[in-house]
Amino acid sequence: QVHLVESGGGLVQAGDSLRLSCADSGRPFSGYAMGWFRQAPRNEREFVAAISRGGLTTRYADSVNGRFTITRDNSKPTVYLQMNSLKPEDTAVYYCARARGLEVEDTSGGYDYWGQGTQVTVSS
């Protein structure tokens, strides 16, 4: 059973940093790529970042490229999203997800397990 639990969200000011964590309390996810998505009010869920099974390949949405970094520690097992230089438009509920396969995916259809989400609010 896959059970993803996100943590690390909160209320910060523009320019601040946050690190989100996603732990799998069930079966380890070391055999799959992992991703982060976010959903702001009245918006569709959008891709943020993804990392391959071994952590060697990453992909980012243009809106976060250069500010966010996704990493993973398969020994934990946990995936992280380091978010720097946060902007008000980064405000959303952030979800981690396990991909259906080994490689990075940037569409929600490529993921089959999702966490409950953690709120990130960035004030101006």
Side-chain angles (χ1 to χ4, degrees):
Q1 184 72 23
V2 178
H3 185 53
L4 304 176
V5 179
E6 302 97 335
S7 62
L11 172 62
V12 297
Q13 294 186 332
D16 286 350
S17 298
L18 276 177
R19 189 177 79 156
L20 305 183
S21 299
C22 173
D24 181 356
S25 61
R27 187 170 59 190
F29 57 55
S30 59
Y32 300 89
M34 297 292 295
W36 286 95
F37 288 72
R38 66 187 182 186
Q39 187 167 17
R42 298 176 297 279
N43 287 0
E44 294 185 353
R45 189 170 298 188
E46 65 175 1
F47 170 75
V48 175
I51 187 167
S52 62
R53 178 185 66 173
L56 297 181
T57 302
T58 58
R59 184 178 299 172
Y60 297 92
D62 290 343
S63 59
V64 307
N65 196 21
R67 298 187 298 121
F68 290 11
T69 303
I70 186 171
T71 57
R72 67 189 296 163
D73 183 346
N74 288 338
S75 68
K76 297 286 189 192
T78 302
V79 62
Y80 304 96
L81 185 68
Q82 178 67 42
M83 306 186 295
N84 298 330
S85 302
L86 282 162
K87 304 175 181 180
E89 51 263 45
D90 294 319
T91 295
V93 177
Y94 283 71
Y95 300 89
C96 76
R98 194 195 77 173
R100 300 180 188 275
L102 310 179
E103 300 304 323
V104 297
E105 298 280 349
D106 58 11
T107 61
S108 59
Y111 295 80
D112 53 4
Y113 289 97
W114 296 80
Q116 293 299 307
T118 185
Q119 176 70 47
V120 172
T121 303
V122 184
S123 63
S124 57

